[in-house]
Every structure is written in C-alpha cells, then in structure tokens.
Amino acid sequence: MRIVSGSSSLMLSSRLSEITKIPMAHREIKRFSDGECYVRLHENLDGEDVILVQNTYPDSNIIEYFLLVDAIRQYKIKSLTSVIPYFGYGRQDKRFNEGEPISAKVFAEHLSENVDRILTINLHNPEVINWFKVPAIEIRAEKVLAKYFEKFNPDIIVSPDKGSIERAKYLSELLNKPFISLEKKRIDSDNVEIHTGDIDVKNKVVAIIDDMISTGGTISTASTILKNLGASKIVVGCIHGLFVANALNRIQRTVDIIFSTDTIENEKSVVTVAEEIASKIL
Ligand code: R5P
C-alpha cells in the first residue's frame, strides 16, 4: 500500500502513515510560473493499493486532485481510494435559485472518475454521499472533536444554529452537561443575526461546536452575545476550519480557545482525524 498526499493534506497524510505504517509515496507538486499545476510521482506504484489524500478546497486543489489521479492511474495499481478530508462545494446542495448549478452533485460525480472508492469527513449535507458514483463513506469526526472539549470542562454546550443541534447534543451527552441551540439568520456571506432566547450563561464556561467555520461570522456573533450575557470563557471547536481572510482575528476578539480538526490544515488543527480514516482503510 502507498499513501499519496496532495499538497492540502501533508500533516494528515503523515499522521495517517505513522498510525497505519503505510509508506508515503515520493511525489513532486509545484506550480508553473503561469500558475498551472505540475505533479509527478517519483515511484512506481504497480501492484499497490493506493490511498490519495487531497482536499477539493480551494479550487486549485481540485486541479491537483485530477492530475494526481491520472498520475497514479498510469501504474497497474490494485485499487485507488480517494480520501477527501474536506469536500468543497458541499454547501451548494440544491438549486437555491433558478439558473444555479447543484455544485455538490457536479463535484461528487466528477471526483468519482477513475477512483475505486471515496472516504470523506463530515459532509455539510450527509445526503450528498449518494451522489458519488463509486462506493463512498462519510466519516464522522464528532467523537474526536468532542473528546478534545473534555479538557476545558465546559458548563454548557451551545449549538450556534439548528444545523449543529445533533452535534451539540452528542457533546452534551458525552460530557453530561446541558445544551442549548441558538437561532441564526444569515444576512449575507459574512454576517448573521443570532437570537439566544432566554438563557443563563453568567459566569459559565461555554462550549460552541460547529461543523465548519468559514468567515467566522457565525462564531464571532454568537460569542459576542454570549460574552455580553456574562459567559466567563468561550471554547469553540469545529471540524472544518476554513478560516477565510481575517476570520481567526475576528473570532479571537471574543473567543478564548479555538480549535479544529486537521481536515483543513491550519494553526488551529490540533485534533486529528487520522485514526478515523485509518479504521476505514485497514
Ligand atoms: C452553517 O450552516 C454552518 O454550520 C456554519 O455555521 C457556517 O458555515 C459557518 O460559516 P461562517 O463562519 O462564515 O459564519
């Protein structure tokens, strides 16, 4: 077996290789001066079961994914499993307005080309798994994320919106602490409106769990309100930390501790999903 790491997932691939003892294939990835991508495998993969680990976010990683699949396929490999830790475009899972594409379906179908199976972590909409054209599994990272929350000993668990209620409930059961859900209304891609209802967070350590943080609008709005209501500390954990533009700065104005998994690699990816992936490939 061999792991081929795309440039989005070197940290996760190394952790996966360490756990599974599957060596990482020697590969080269660079950009031409016009920005186009160049990839090359420096190893013959004949006879191997190959695991490709690569995100499809941002867009440049999609190109790299297709090139790596083609480079791998020139060998007489036994199988190709594609691990997509963060599946980009997963949020456009329907035609919200006439004339739009169903982006999640477009990419689920195209990313299935020339691979034998797909593993991905926490899709924004789990139904999207049915759009892949090869056997596909959605791995859930709630368990590892929830374990990490334990050390902060929160008093109350908060779901920032309806979409994370099940996650917050899971965390609340694991830590044996109450949970509440906030009401969120999106104004635009950067801003949201949040209503808390009648809650008591005074002098409490509040844990907020979400599937992804993008602009940080949701978390910074929620945590500002919770701090104004007297929360003593706010701990935030998410699965996919996109942290676009100045999201981290924006969040850290009111959030005391923030962490994510390593589906998207950044300075906050302290929780690894490598064990979860390993359990599906061995
Ligand atoms: C929403 O449905 C998601 O669970 C996240 O709350 C959302 O995508 C976060 O986005 P942002 O950080 O831009 O508010």
Side-chain angles (χ1 to χ4, degrees), residues 91 124 160-161 163-164 167 184 186 189-190 192 210-219 244 251:
R91 284 179 283 183
H124 190 63
D161 53 30
S164 269
R167 253 179 293 280
K184 177 172 99 178
R186 187 160 284 285
S189 60
D190 276 28
V192 299
D210 208 348
D211 63 338
M212 70 171 75
I213 297 177
S214 180
T215 64
T218 301
I219 295 299
V244 303
I251 292 165

Side-chain angles (χ1 to χ4, degrees), residues 12-280:
L12 177 56
S13 299
S14 315
R15 287 168 174 171
L16 189 61
S17 167
E18 213 176 294
I19 292 170
T20 58
K21 307 291 171 229
I22 302 170
M24 285 174 60
H26 184 205
R27 80 344 175 225
E28 185 182 348
I29 302 171
K30 61 185 184 187
R31 295 267 155 194
F32 291 108
S33 34
D34 61 1
E36 288 185 354
C37 182
Y38 172 89
V39 311
R40 183 176 177 191
L41 297 171
H42 287 288
E43 199 169 320
N44 186 315
L45 298 177
D46 284 353
E48 300 287 356
D49 286 300
V50 180
I51 318 292
L52 168 65
V53 189
Q54 171 73 341
N55 281 337
T56 57
Y57 167 87
D59 288 3
S60 54
N61 282 331
I62 300 175
I63 305 292
E64 201 183 296
Y65 175 98
F66 288 129
L67 297 181
L68 283 168
V69 168
D70 186 70
I72 293 165
R73 277 291 178 197
Q74 73 193 276
Y75 298 104
K76 293 182 183 60
I77 58 168
K78 273 204 225 139
S79 68
L80 174 52
T81 297
S82 140
V83 178
I84 305 174
Y86 174 67
F87 174 73
Y89 289 95
R91 284 179 283 183
Q92 180 80 21
D93 57 357
K94 61 180 173 200
R95 293 187 213 283
F96 295 94
N97 298 293
E98 194 190 329
E100 291 176 351
I102 306 175
S103 313
K105 189 161 188 282
V106 170
F107 284 103
E109 290 179 355
H110 284 283
L111 297 166
S112 302
E113 298 286 324
N114 293 322
V115 305
D116 297 301
R117 66 172 179 146
I118 291 181
L119 305 180
T120 186
I121 321 276
N122 282 76
L123 290 163
H124 190 63
N125 169 3
E127 297 296 315
V128 167
I129 203 76
N130 300 314
W131 287 335
F132 290 97
K133 294 196 296 187
V134 291
I137 297 177
E138 183 200 25
I139 298 170
R140 308 287 302 208
E142 277 82 357
K143 201 167 161 193
V144 273
L145 195 67
K147 280 249 150 243
Y148 199 80
F149 270 106
E150 255 174 358
K151 63 173 164 190
F152 303 107
N153 198 19
D155 300 303
I156 186 163
I157 317 300
V158 169
S159 169
D161 53 30
K162 285 206 179 92
S164 269
I165 287 185
E166 283 310 310
R167 253 179 293 280
K169 201 165 160 222
Y170 175 79
L171 183 58
S172 114
E173 278 162 14
L174 187 94
L175 305 184
N176 200 19
K177 294 288 159 75
F179 89 93
I180 50 167
S181 176
L182 309 180
E183 290 280 337
K184 177 172 99 178
K185 189 174 157 212
R186 187 160 284 285
I187 310 293
D188 56 38
S189 60
D190 276 28
N191 299 294
V192 299
E193 213 176 87
I194 286 190
H195 298 280
T196 60
D198 187 17
I199 57 168
D200 176 17
V201 291
K202 201 162 173 40
N203 301 324
K204 290 186 177 160
V205 177
V206 178
I208 310 181
I209 185 166
D210 208 348
D211 63 338
M212 70 171 75
I213 297 177
S214 180
T215 64
T218 301
I219 295 299
S220 64
T221 308
S223 55
T224 304
I225 295 172
L226 293 166
K227 273 274 166 88
N228 287 341
L229 289 173
S232 60
K233 192 180 206 179
I234 297 189
V235 182
V236 175
C238 70
I239 294 162
H240 306 298
L242 280 80
F243 304 130
V244 303
N246 68 341
L248 266 177
N249 285 340
R250 186 178 182 191
I251 292 165
Q252 284 169 323
R253 281 183 212 134
T254 42
V255 168
D256 300 276
I257 294 158
I258 177 146
F259 55 89
S260 74
T261 75
D262 52 3
T263 57
I264 296 174
E265 301 182 356
N266 58 68
E267 58 182 287
K268 300 294 174 188
S269 29
V270 293
V271 179
T272 185
V273 291
E275 292 275 3
E276 276 57 30
I277 298 170
S279 70
K280 301 288 182 208

